[in-house]
Amino acid sequence: LRRRAVVLAIAGVLFLASLSLVPRIGTNFLPNSTTPTVNVSLTLPLGTPLATTEAAALRAEGILRAQAGALHTQTVIGSGATFSPIGTTNQASCFAKVTPATDVQLFITRLLARLKALHLHGATWAASPGSSFAGGSEANQIQVLVQSANAARLRQASQTVTSILRRTQGVSQVENELSTRESLVSIAVDPVKAAAAGLTPGQITGQLSPYLTNAQIASLSASGSNLPVYLRVGAGLPQGLAAVKELPIATPAGPTPLSDVASVTLGQTPASITRTNGSDTATVNAVVTSANVGAVSRAIETKIAASHLPPGVTTSMGGVTQMQGQAFGQMGEAMVAAIFLVYLVMLLAFGEGRSPFTIMFSLPLAVIGALGGLWVSQNQLGIPALIGMLMLIGIVVTNAIVLVDLVAQNRRRGLPLRDALVEAGAVRLRPILMTALATVGALLPLAYASGGDLLISSSVAVVVIGGLLTSTLLTLVVVPVMYSLLHSRADRLAASAALH
Protein backbone atom coordinates (compact mmCIF):
# COMPACT_ATOMS: atom_id res chain seq x y z
CA LEU A 1 0.00 0.00 0.00
CA ARG A 2 2.99 2.31 0.43
CA ARG A 3 4.25 1.65 -3.13
CA ARG A 4 1.06 1.40 -5.11
CA ALA A 5 2.61 2.62 -8.37
CA VAL A 6 5.34 -0.03 -8.18
CA VAL A 7 2.82 -2.81 -7.53
CA LEU A 8 0.64 -1.80 -10.46
CA ALA A 9 3.68 -1.41 -12.73
CA ILE A 10 4.92 -4.91 -11.91
CA ALA A 11 1.46 -6.37 -12.49
CA GLY A 12 1.19 -4.53 -15.82
CA VAL A 13 4.60 -5.73 -16.97
CA LEU A 14 3.74 -9.33 -16.08
CA PHE A 15 0.44 -9.07 -17.95
CA LEU A 16 2.07 -7.70 -21.12
CA ALA A 17 4.86 -10.29 -20.88
CA SER A 18 2.27 -13.07 -20.75
CA LEU A 19 0.54 -11.71 -23.85
CA SER A 20 3.87 -11.75 -25.68
CA LEU A 21 3.98 -15.53 -25.13
CA VAL A 22 0.97 -16.15 -27.40
CA PRO A 23 3.02 -16.39 -30.66
CA ARG A 24 5.38 -18.82 -28.93
CA ILE A 25 2.55 -20.88 -27.47
CA GLY A 26 0.80 -21.24 -30.82
CA THR A 27 -2.85 -21.93 -31.54
CA ASN A 28 -4.81 -24.91 -32.76
CA PHE A 29 -8.42 -26.00 -33.04
CA LEU A 30 -8.39 -29.22 -31.00
CA PRO A 31 -5.43 -31.06 -29.49
CA ASN A 32 -4.19 -34.25 -31.06
CA SER A 33 -5.77 -37.34 -29.58
CA THR A 34 -3.64 -39.21 -27.07
CA THR A 35 -4.94 -42.40 -28.69
CA PRO A 36 -3.81 -41.66 -32.24
CA THR A 37 -5.94 -42.56 -35.23
CA VAL A 38 -5.17 -42.59 -38.92
CA ASN A 39 -7.69 -41.94 -41.69
CA VAL A 40 -7.01 -43.33 -45.18
CA SER A 41 -9.12 -42.41 -48.20
CA LEU A 42 -9.19 -44.09 -51.60
CA THR A 43 -10.61 -42.47 -54.72
CA LEU A 44 -10.87 -44.45 -57.95
CA PRO A 45 -11.95 -43.09 -61.37
CA LEU A 46 -15.57 -42.00 -61.62
CA GLY A 47 -17.89 -44.80 -62.62
CA THR A 48 -15.82 -47.52 -60.97
CA PRO A 49 -18.16 -50.38 -59.94
CA LEU A 50 -18.71 -50.88 -56.23
CA ALA A 51 -17.26 -54.39 -56.40
CA THR A 52 -13.97 -53.05 -57.78
CA THR A 53 -13.82 -50.38 -55.09
CA GLU A 54 -14.53 -52.98 -52.43
CA ALA A 55 -11.72 -55.22 -53.64
CA ALA A 56 -9.23 -52.33 -53.61
CA ALA A 57 -10.40 -51.19 -50.16
CA LEU A 58 -10.00 -54.67 -48.70
CA ARG A 59 -6.43 -54.83 -50.02
CA ALA A 60 -5.76 -51.46 -48.40
CA GLU A 61 -7.30 -52.64 -45.13
CA GLY A 62 -5.02 -55.67 -45.15
CA ILE A 63 -1.95 -53.46 -45.57
CA LEU A 64 -3.21 -51.16 -42.82
CA ARG A 65 -3.68 -54.05 -40.39
CA ALA A 66 -0.19 -55.33 -41.15
CA GLN A 67 1.39 -51.98 -40.23
CA ALA A 68 3.35 -52.05 -36.99
CA GLY A 69 1.38 -50.21 -34.32
CA ALA A 70 -2.10 -50.65 -35.80
CA LEU A 71 -4.70 -51.79 -33.25
CA HIS A 72 -8.20 -51.68 -34.76
CA THR A 73 -9.41 -50.91 -38.27
CA GLN A 74 -12.73 -50.03 -39.87
CA THR A 75 -13.52 -49.67 -43.57
CA VAL A 76 -16.40 -47.83 -45.23
CA ILE A 77 -17.03 -48.39 -48.94
CA GLY A 78 -19.24 -46.45 -51.33
CA SER A 79 -21.49 -43.52 -50.45
CA GLY A 80 -20.87 -43.99 -46.72
CA ALA A 81 -17.21 -43.12 -47.22
CA THR A 82 -18.07 -39.42 -47.59
CA PHE A 83 -20.63 -36.99 -46.24
CA SER A 84 -21.87 -36.26 -49.75
CA PRO A 85 -25.57 -36.91 -50.34
CA ILE A 86 -24.68 -38.18 -53.82
CA GLY A 87 -23.99 -41.88 -54.03
CA THR A 88 -20.32 -42.63 -54.69
CA THR A 89 -19.19 -46.08 -55.74
CA ASN A 90 -15.59 -45.04 -56.42
CA GLN A 91 -14.58 -43.99 -52.91
CA ALA A 92 -13.64 -45.80 -49.71
CA SER A 93 -12.25 -44.84 -46.31
CA CYS A 94 -10.28 -46.81 -43.74
CA PHE A 95 -9.85 -45.80 -40.12
CA ALA A 96 -7.30 -47.26 -37.74
CA LYS A 97 -6.41 -46.74 -34.09
CA VAL A 98 -2.70 -47.02 -33.39
CA THR A 99 -0.71 -47.41 -30.20
CA PRO A 100 0.11 -44.19 -28.28
CA ALA A 101 3.83 -44.78 -28.78
CA THR A 102 3.48 -44.80 -32.58
CA ASP A 103 5.01 -41.99 -34.61
CA VAL A 104 1.89 -41.14 -36.60
CA GLN A 105 3.66 -39.19 -39.35
CA LEU A 106 6.17 -42.01 -39.92
CA PHE A 107 3.26 -44.50 -39.83
CA ILE A 108 1.45 -42.53 -42.56
CA THR A 109 4.57 -42.15 -44.71
CA ARG A 110 5.26 -45.89 -44.72
CA LEU A 111 1.58 -46.71 -45.23
CA LEU A 112 1.23 -44.46 -48.28
CA ALA A 113 4.37 -45.93 -49.80
CA ARG A 114 2.93 -49.44 -49.49
CA LEU A 115 -0.50 -48.41 -50.79
CA LYS A 116 0.95 -46.68 -53.84
CA ALA A 117 3.05 -49.79 -54.50
CA LEU A 118 -0.23 -51.60 -55.31
CA HIS A 119 -0.25 -49.65 -58.62
CA LEU A 120 -4.04 -49.56 -58.85
CA HIS A 121 -5.05 -47.84 -62.08
CA GLY A 122 -6.34 -44.30 -61.45
CA ALA A 123 -6.25 -44.68 -57.66
CA THR A 124 -5.67 -41.63 -55.49
CA TRP A 125 -4.58 -42.28 -51.90
CA ALA A 126 -4.62 -39.84 -48.99
CA ALA A 127 -3.90 -40.36 -45.30
CA SER A 128 -4.01 -38.01 -42.34
CA PRO A 129 -3.86 -38.12 -38.55
CA GLY A 130 -7.32 -38.54 -37.15
CA SER A 131 -9.05 -37.00 -34.16
CA SER A 132 -11.52 -38.55 -31.79
CA PHE A 133 -13.10 -35.17 -31.21
CA ALA A 134 -15.99 -33.61 -33.12
CA GLY A 135 -14.82 -32.82 -36.61
CA GLY A 136 -12.77 -36.00 -36.97
CA SER A 137 -9.87 -35.72 -39.40
CA GLU A 138 -11.03 -32.23 -40.40
CA ALA A 139 -9.24 -30.99 -37.27
CA ASN A 140 -5.97 -31.63 -39.17
CA GLN A 141 -6.98 -30.58 -42.67
CA ILE A 142 -6.55 -27.15 -44.18
CA GLN A 143 -8.17 -25.84 -47.34
CA VAL A 144 -7.54 -22.90 -49.62
CA LEU A 145 -10.52 -21.93 -51.78
CA VAL A 146 -9.50 -20.26 -55.05
CA GLN A 147 -12.28 -18.48 -56.97
CA SER A 148 -12.41 -16.88 -60.41
CA ALA A 149 -14.88 -16.47 -63.27
CA ASN A 150 -12.07 -17.21 -65.75
CA ALA A 151 -11.23 -20.91 -66.07
CA ALA A 152 -7.64 -20.35 -67.29
CA ARG A 153 -6.84 -17.92 -64.46
CA LEU A 154 -8.46 -20.27 -61.95
CA ARG A 155 -6.27 -23.14 -63.10
CA GLN A 156 -3.12 -20.98 -63.00
CA ALA A 157 -3.93 -19.58 -59.54
CA SER A 158 -4.75 -23.00 -58.09
CA GLN A 159 -1.41 -24.32 -59.33
CA THR A 160 0.36 -21.39 -57.69
CA VAL A 161 -1.44 -22.02 -54.39
CA THR A 162 -0.62 -25.72 -54.61
CA SER A 163 3.06 -24.89 -55.04
CA ILE A 164 2.94 -22.53 -52.05
CA LEU A 165 1.41 -25.17 -49.79
CA ARG A 166 3.97 -27.77 -50.85
CA ARG A 167 6.78 -25.38 -49.88
CA THR A 168 5.24 -24.50 -46.51
CA GLN A 169 6.75 -26.20 -43.48
CA GLY A 170 4.25 -28.19 -41.42
CA VAL A 171 2.07 -29.10 -44.43
CA SER A 172 1.91 -32.41 -46.28
CA GLN A 173 -0.26 -34.33 -48.77
CA VAL A 174 -1.21 -31.29 -50.84
CA GLU A 175 -3.93 -32.01 -53.40
CA ASN A 176 -5.49 -29.75 -56.02
CA GLU A 177 -8.94 -30.92 -57.08
CA LEU A 178 -8.43 -29.41 -60.55
CA SER A 179 -5.44 -31.70 -61.04
CA THR A 180 -7.74 -34.72 -60.99
CA ARG A 181 -9.07 -34.95 -64.53
CA GLU A 182 -11.29 -37.52 -66.21
CA SER A 183 -11.64 -38.57 -69.83
CA LEU A 184 -14.80 -37.29 -71.46
CA VAL A 185 -16.40 -38.32 -74.77
CA SER A 186 -18.06 -35.31 -76.38
CA ILE A 187 -20.82 -35.89 -78.93
CA ALA A 188 -21.98 -32.90 -81.01
CA VAL A 189 -24.88 -33.69 -83.34
CA ASP A 190 -24.65 -31.95 -86.74
CA PRO A 191 -28.17 -30.60 -87.46
CA VAL A 192 -27.56 -30.59 -91.23
CA LYS A 193 -26.37 -34.20 -91.38
CA ALA A 194 -29.15 -35.25 -88.98
CA ALA A 195 -31.79 -33.63 -91.23
CA ALA A 196 -30.28 -35.32 -94.28
CA ALA A 197 -30.70 -38.66 -92.46
CA GLY A 198 -34.32 -37.81 -91.67
CA LEU A 199 -33.78 -37.20 -87.92
CA THR A 200 -33.67 -34.34 -85.49
CA PRO A 201 -30.88 -33.81 -82.92
CA GLY A 202 -33.37 -34.67 -80.15
CA GLN A 203 -34.19 -38.02 -81.76
CA ILE A 204 -30.51 -38.90 -81.99
CA THR A 205 -29.97 -37.92 -78.35
CA GLY A 206 -32.92 -40.10 -77.37
CA GLN A 207 -31.37 -43.11 -79.08
CA LEU A 208 -28.10 -42.50 -77.21
CA SER A 209 -29.73 -42.14 -73.77
CA PRO A 210 -29.73 -45.92 -72.96
CA TYR A 211 -25.94 -45.83 -73.30
CA LEU A 212 -25.68 -42.87 -70.91
CA THR A 213 -28.20 -43.62 -68.17
CA ASN A 214 -30.39 -46.47 -67.03
CA ALA A 215 -33.85 -45.07 -67.75
CA GLN A 216 -36.70 -46.20 -65.54
CA ILE A 217 -39.52 -47.36 -67.81
CA ALA A 218 -41.91 -48.96 -65.31
CA SER A 219 -42.37 -50.20 -61.77
CA LEU A 220 -43.27 -53.67 -60.55
CA SER A 221 -45.37 -54.37 -57.45
CA ALA A 222 -44.04 -57.24 -55.38
CA SER A 223 -44.67 -58.12 -51.73
CA GLY A 224 -46.34 -54.80 -51.07
CA SER A 225 -43.50 -52.66 -52.44
CA ASN A 226 -42.78 -51.05 -55.81
CA LEU A 227 -39.64 -52.18 -57.60
CA PRO A 228 -38.27 -49.92 -60.37
CA VAL A 229 -37.68 -51.41 -63.83
CA TYR A 230 -34.79 -49.95 -65.81
CA LEU A 231 -33.99 -50.19 -69.52
CA ARG A 232 -30.43 -51.24 -70.29
CA VAL A 233 -28.66 -51.89 -73.57
CA GLY A 234 -28.24 -55.60 -74.19
CA ALA A 235 -24.79 -55.62 -75.79
CA GLY A 236 -23.15 -53.66 -73.01
CA LEU A 237 -21.49 -50.29 -73.12
CA PRO A 238 -19.14 -49.42 -75.98
CA GLN A 239 -15.45 -49.62 -75.14
CA GLY A 240 -13.19 -47.00 -76.67
CA LEU A 241 -13.71 -43.99 -78.89
CA ALA A 242 -13.92 -46.04 -82.09
CA ALA A 243 -16.76 -48.13 -80.65
CA VAL A 244 -18.68 -44.98 -79.73
CA LYS A 245 -18.32 -43.65 -83.27
CA GLU A 246 -19.76 -46.93 -84.64
CA LEU A 247 -22.87 -46.90 -82.46
CA PRO A 248 -25.85 -47.63 -84.77
CA ILE A 249 -28.39 -44.83 -85.20
CA ALA A 250 -31.76 -45.89 -86.65
CA THR A 251 -32.85 -43.74 -89.59
CA PRO A 252 -35.70 -44.07 -92.13
CA ALA A 253 -33.13 -45.42 -94.59
CA GLY A 254 -31.68 -47.93 -92.13
CA PRO A 255 -28.97 -47.96 -89.40
CA THR A 256 -26.07 -45.56 -89.81
CA PRO A 257 -22.95 -45.02 -87.66
CA LEU A 258 -23.08 -42.20 -85.12
CA SER A 259 -20.01 -40.60 -86.73
CA ASP A 260 -22.08 -39.95 -89.90
CA VAL A 261 -24.43 -37.56 -88.09
CA ALA A 262 -22.30 -36.25 -85.18
CA SER A 263 -18.78 -35.27 -84.22
CA VAL A 264 -17.30 -37.60 -81.59
CA THR A 265 -14.15 -36.44 -79.76
CA LEU A 266 -12.24 -37.44 -76.63
CA GLY A 267 -11.23 -34.74 -74.15
CA GLN A 268 -10.26 -34.11 -70.55
CA THR A 269 -12.38 -32.45 -67.84
CA PRO A 270 -11.96 -31.85 -64.10
CA ALA A 271 -13.34 -34.71 -62.03
CA SER A 272 -15.47 -32.21 -60.10
CA ILE A 273 -16.43 -28.57 -60.53
CA THR A 274 -17.49 -26.49 -57.54
CA ARG A 275 -19.30 -23.17 -57.72
CA THR A 276 -19.46 -20.75 -54.81
CA ASN A 277 -21.61 -17.61 -55.04
CA GLY A 278 -21.76 -18.02 -58.81
CA SER A 279 -17.99 -18.36 -59.35
CA ASP A 280 -15.98 -21.47 -60.19
CA THR A 281 -13.99 -22.62 -57.16
CA ALA A 282 -10.88 -24.79 -56.96
CA THR A 283 -10.13 -26.31 -53.57
CA VAL A 284 -6.55 -27.06 -52.57
CA ASN A 285 -6.47 -29.51 -49.65
CA ALA A 286 -3.58 -30.34 -47.34
CA VAL A 287 -2.88 -31.98 -44.01
CA VAL A 288 -1.33 -29.90 -41.21
CA THR A 289 1.39 -31.88 -39.44
CA SER A 290 2.40 -29.04 -37.09
CA ALA A 291 0.75 -28.61 -33.69
CA ASN A 292 0.68 -24.83 -34.26
CA VAL A 293 -2.14 -24.66 -36.79
CA GLY A 294 -2.46 -20.89 -36.44
CA ALA A 295 1.16 -20.26 -37.42
CA VAL A 296 0.85 -22.53 -40.46
CA SER A 297 -2.33 -20.76 -41.59
CA ARG A 298 -0.74 -17.32 -41.21
CA ALA A 299 2.33 -18.43 -43.16
CA ILE A 300 0.15 -19.68 -46.01
CA GLU A 301 -1.95 -16.48 -46.09
CA THR A 302 1.21 -14.33 -46.13
CA LYS A 303 2.77 -16.29 -49.00
CA ILE A 304 -0.45 -16.21 -51.03
CA ALA A 305 -0.78 -12.44 -50.52
CA ALA A 306 2.77 -11.98 -51.82
CA SER A 307 2.36 -14.31 -54.81
CA HIS A 308 0.58 -11.78 -57.10
CA LEU A 309 -2.22 -14.04 -58.33
CA PRO A 310 -3.89 -13.20 -61.68
CA PRO A 311 -6.49 -10.39 -61.69
CA GLY A 312 -9.99 -11.43 -60.73
CA VAL A 313 -8.81 -14.31 -58.53
CA THR A 314 -9.73 -14.39 -54.85
CA THR A 315 -8.67 -16.83 -52.15
CA SER A 316 -10.06 -17.74 -48.75
CA MET A 317 -9.06 -20.16 -46.04
CA GLY A 318 -11.26 -23.13 -45.17
CA GLY A 319 -10.99 -26.37 -43.29
CA VAL A 320 -9.44 -26.22 -39.83
CA THR A 321 -8.50 -22.55 -40.27
CA GLN A 322 -12.13 -21.57 -40.78
CA MET A 323 -13.36 -23.80 -37.95
CA GLN A 324 -10.73 -22.40 -35.58
CA GLY A 325 -11.61 -18.81 -36.43
CA GLN A 326 -15.32 -19.41 -35.89
CA ALA A 327 -14.77 -21.29 -32.63
CA PHE A 328 -12.39 -18.63 -31.26
CA GLY A 329 -14.89 -15.92 -32.13
CA GLN A 330 -17.71 -17.75 -30.35
CA MET A 331 -15.56 -18.37 -27.28
CA GLY A 332 -14.57 -14.69 -27.24
CA GLU A 333 -18.21 -13.66 -27.28
CA ALA A 334 -18.93 -16.11 -24.44
CA MET A 335 -16.12 -14.62 -22.34
CA VAL A 336 -17.35 -11.07 -22.87
CA ALA A 337 -20.86 -12.13 -21.86
CA ALA A 338 -19.49 -13.95 -18.80
CA ILE A 339 -17.51 -10.90 -17.66
CA PHE A 340 -20.57 -8.66 -18.08
CA LEU A 341 -22.81 -11.05 -16.12
CA VAL A 342 -20.26 -11.41 -13.30
CA TYR A 343 -19.95 -7.64 -13.03
CA LEU A 344 -23.73 -7.23 -13.09
CA VAL A 345 -24.22 -9.73 -10.25
CA MET A 346 -21.56 -8.02 -8.12
CA LEU A 347 -23.03 -4.63 -8.89
CA LEU A 348 -26.38 -5.76 -7.54
CA ALA A 349 -24.77 -7.42 -4.51
CA PHE A 350 -22.53 -4.51 -3.46
CA GLY A 351 -24.95 -1.75 -4.41
CA GLU A 352 -22.17 0.43 -5.88
CA GLY A 353 -19.75 0.23 -8.80
CA ARG A 354 -16.28 0.80 -7.34
CA SER A 355 -15.95 -2.46 -5.42
CA PRO A 356 -17.04 -4.67 -8.38
CA PHE A 357 -14.68 -2.70 -10.64
CA THR A 358 -11.85 -3.39 -8.19
CA ILE A 359 -12.66 -7.10 -8.14
CA MET A 360 -12.57 -7.29 -11.96
CA PHE A 361 -8.85 -6.46 -11.83
CA SER A 362 -8.26 -10.02 -10.66
CA LEU A 363 -9.10 -11.32 -14.17
CA PRO A 364 -5.99 -9.97 -15.98
CA LEU A 365 -3.92 -11.48 -13.17
CA ALA A 366 -5.31 -14.90 -14.08
CA VAL A 367 -4.25 -14.45 -17.72
CA ILE A 368 -0.61 -14.25 -16.57
CA GLY A 369 -0.63 -17.73 -15.08
CA ALA A 370 -2.91 -19.24 -17.75
CA LEU A 371 -0.65 -18.30 -20.66
CA GLY A 372 2.47 -19.00 -18.64
CA GLY A 373 1.20 -22.47 -17.82
CA LEU A 374 0.51 -23.23 -21.49
CA TRP A 375 4.01 -22.08 -22.42
CA VAL A 376 5.72 -24.13 -19.72
CA SER A 377 3.66 -27.27 -20.43
CA GLN A 378 4.06 -26.85 -24.22
CA ASN A 379 0.30 -26.91 -24.81
CA GLN A 380 -1.30 -24.84 -27.55
CA LEU A 381 -4.04 -22.25 -27.16
CA GLY A 382 -7.06 -24.15 -28.47
CA ILE A 383 -10.69 -24.74 -27.61
CA PRO A 384 -9.95 -26.70 -24.39
CA ALA A 385 -7.64 -23.91 -23.18
CA LEU A 386 -10.29 -21.30 -23.93
CA ILE A 387 -12.80 -23.38 -21.97
CA GLY A 388 -10.38 -23.22 -19.05
CA MET A 389 -10.17 -19.44 -19.35
CA LEU A 390 -13.95 -19.22 -19.41
CA MET A 391 -14.00 -21.22 -16.18
CA LEU A 392 -11.42 -18.89 -14.65
CA ILE A 393 -13.74 -15.90 -15.03
CA GLY A 394 -16.08 -17.43 -12.47
CA ILE A 395 -13.37 -18.93 -10.26
CA VAL A 396 -10.81 -16.18 -9.70
CA VAL A 397 -13.27 -13.42 -8.77
CA THR A 398 -14.43 -15.43 -5.75
CA ASN A 399 -11.16 -14.78 -3.89
CA ALA A 400 -11.36 -11.07 -4.62
CA ILE A 401 -15.02 -10.99 -3.58
CA VAL A 402 -14.19 -12.60 -0.23
CA LEU A 403 -11.43 -10.05 0.35
CA VAL A 404 -13.32 -6.94 -0.74
CA ASP A 405 -16.46 -7.92 1.13
CA LEU A 406 -14.55 -8.08 4.42
CA VAL A 407 -12.93 -4.74 3.66
CA ALA A 408 -16.38 -3.24 3.22
CA GLN A 409 -17.52 -4.78 6.52
CA ASN A 410 -14.49 -3.37 8.33
CA ARG A 411 -15.16 0.09 6.98
CA ARG A 412 -18.78 -0.07 8.11
CA ARG A 413 -17.45 -0.84 11.57
CA GLY A 414 -15.57 2.43 11.45
CA LEU A 415 -12.03 1.29 10.62
CA PRO A 416 -9.88 3.59 8.47
CA LEU A 417 -9.31 2.53 4.85
CA ARG A 418 -5.73 1.32 5.36
CA ASP A 419 -6.52 -0.59 8.56
CA ALA A 420 -9.57 -2.17 6.92
CA LEU A 421 -7.43 -3.42 4.02
CA VAL A 422 -4.64 -4.77 6.22
CA GLU A 423 -7.00 -6.59 8.58
CA ALA A 424 -9.04 -8.07 5.70
CA GLY A 425 -5.88 -9.34 4.04
CA ALA A 426 -4.67 -10.99 7.25
CA VAL A 427 -8.04 -12.59 8.01
CA ARG A 428 -8.80 -13.81 4.48
CA LEU A 429 -5.28 -15.00 3.63
CA ARG A 430 -5.76 -18.51 4.97
CA PRO A 431 -9.20 -19.31 3.46
CA ILE A 432 -8.15 -17.85 0.11
CA LEU A 433 -4.99 -19.97 -0.01
CA MET A 434 -6.86 -23.09 1.17
CA THR A 435 -9.55 -22.85 -1.50
CA ALA A 436 -6.99 -22.15 -4.22
CA LEU A 437 -4.74 -25.04 -3.20
CA ALA A 438 -7.70 -27.39 -2.90
CA THR A 439 -8.81 -26.52 -6.45
CA VAL A 440 -5.27 -26.91 -7.76
CA GLY A 441 -4.93 -30.29 -6.07
CA ALA A 442 -8.18 -31.52 -7.57
CA LEU A 443 -7.02 -30.55 -11.08
CA LEU A 444 -3.49 -31.98 -10.87
CA PRO A 445 -4.53 -35.51 -12.00
CA LEU A 446 -6.11 -34.02 -15.13
CA ALA A 447 -3.07 -31.82 -15.77
CA TYR A 448 -0.80 -34.88 -15.73
CA ALA A 449 -3.21 -37.14 -17.59
CA SER A 450 -1.51 -38.82 -20.56
CA GLY A 451 -4.30 -40.96 -21.95
CA GLY A 452 -7.88 -40.78 -23.10
CA ASP A 453 -9.75 -39.00 -25.84
CA LEU A 454 -11.84 -36.51 -23.87
CA LEU A 455 -12.41 -32.96 -25.04
CA ILE A 456 -11.51 -31.84 -21.48
CA SER A 457 -7.80 -32.29 -22.06
CA SER A 458 -4.86 -31.45 -19.84
CA SER A 459 -4.70 -27.91 -21.23
CA VAL A 460 -7.95 -27.10 -19.38
CA ALA A 461 -6.35 -28.03 -16.06
CA VAL A 462 -3.10 -26.26 -16.93
CA VAL A 463 -4.94 -23.02 -17.68
CA VAL A 464 -7.05 -23.16 -14.52
CA ILE A 465 -4.13 -24.10 -12.28
CA GLY A 466 -1.80 -21.45 -13.69
CA GLY A 467 -4.46 -18.74 -13.69
CA LEU A 468 -5.63 -19.56 -10.18
CA LEU A 469 -2.10 -19.53 -8.72
CA THR A 470 -1.11 -16.15 -10.13
CA SER A 471 -4.49 -14.55 -9.49
CA THR A 472 -4.51 -15.81 -5.89
CA LEU A 473 -1.04 -14.50 -5.11
CA LEU A 474 -1.42 -11.19 -6.92
CA THR A 475 -5.00 -10.61 -5.79
CA LEU A 476 -3.77 -10.28 -2.21
CA VAL A 477 -1.57 -7.38 -3.36
CA VAL A 478 -3.08 -5.78 -6.45
CA VAL A 479 -6.76 -5.75 -5.40
CA PRO A 480 -6.06 -3.91 -2.11
CA VAL A 481 -3.98 -1.37 -4.04
CA MET A 482 -6.75 -0.77 -6.56
CA TYR A 483 -9.33 -0.58 -3.76
CA SER A 484 -7.30 2.07 -1.95
CA LEU A 485 -6.84 4.08 -5.15
CA LEU A 486 -10.54 4.08 -5.98
CA HIS A 487 -11.79 4.71 -2.45
CA SER A 488 -9.14 7.05 -0.98
CA ARG A 489 -10.18 9.94 -3.22
CA ALA A 490 -13.83 9.39 -2.32
CA ASP A 491 -12.92 9.35 1.37
CA ARG A 492 -11.00 12.63 1.06
CA LEU A 493 -13.93 14.26 -0.71
CA ALA A 494 -16.30 13.03 1.99
CA ALA A 495 -14.02 14.29 4.74
CA SER A 496 -13.72 17.68 3.06
CA ALA A 497 -17.48 17.95 2.77
CA ALA A 498 -17.89 17.05 6.44
CA LEU A 499 -15.53 19.86 7.50
CA HIS A 500 -17.52 22.40 5.56
Side-chain angles (χ1 to χ4, degrees), residues 438-459:
T439 305
V440 169
L443 289 173
L444 281 176
L446 179 59
Y448 284 99
S450 59
D453 300 318
L454 298 176
L455 177 61
I456 306 300
S457 67
S458 62
S459 56

Side-chain angles (χ1 to χ4, degrees), residues 145 162 185 206 279 320 328 420:
L145 307 179
T162 301
V185 176
S279 298
V320 65
F328 277 35

Side-chain angles (χ1 to χ4, degrees), residues 216-267:
Q216 182 177 349
I217 59 174
S219 61
L220 178 64
S221 296
S223 302
S225 61
N226 291 327
L227 302 177
V229 178
Y230 294 95
L231 174 65
R232 295 184 58 184
V233 293
L237 296 176
Q239 301 296 321
L241 185 64
V244 175
K245 292 181 177 181
E246 295 300 321
L247 285 176
I249 301 297
T251 69
T256 184
L258 175 62
S259 58
D260 288 350
V261 294
S263 172
V264 182
T265 57
L266 181 64

Side-chain angles (χ1 to χ4, degrees), residues 317-348:
M317 302 297 294
V320 65
T321 304
Q322 184 180 30
M323 293 189 295
Q324 178 177 307
Q326 293 174 348
F328 277 35
Q330 293 170 355
M331 291 299 297
E333 293 173 358
M335 290 182 188
V336 172
I339 292 173
F340 173 76
L341 292 175
V342 167
Y343 183 80
L344 181 61
V345 170
M346 291 191 298
L347 188 64
L348 295 175

Side-chain angles (χ1 to χ4, degrees), residues 49-60:
L50 186 62
T52 304
T53 305
E54 180 181 8
L58 292 178
R59 294 179 66 183

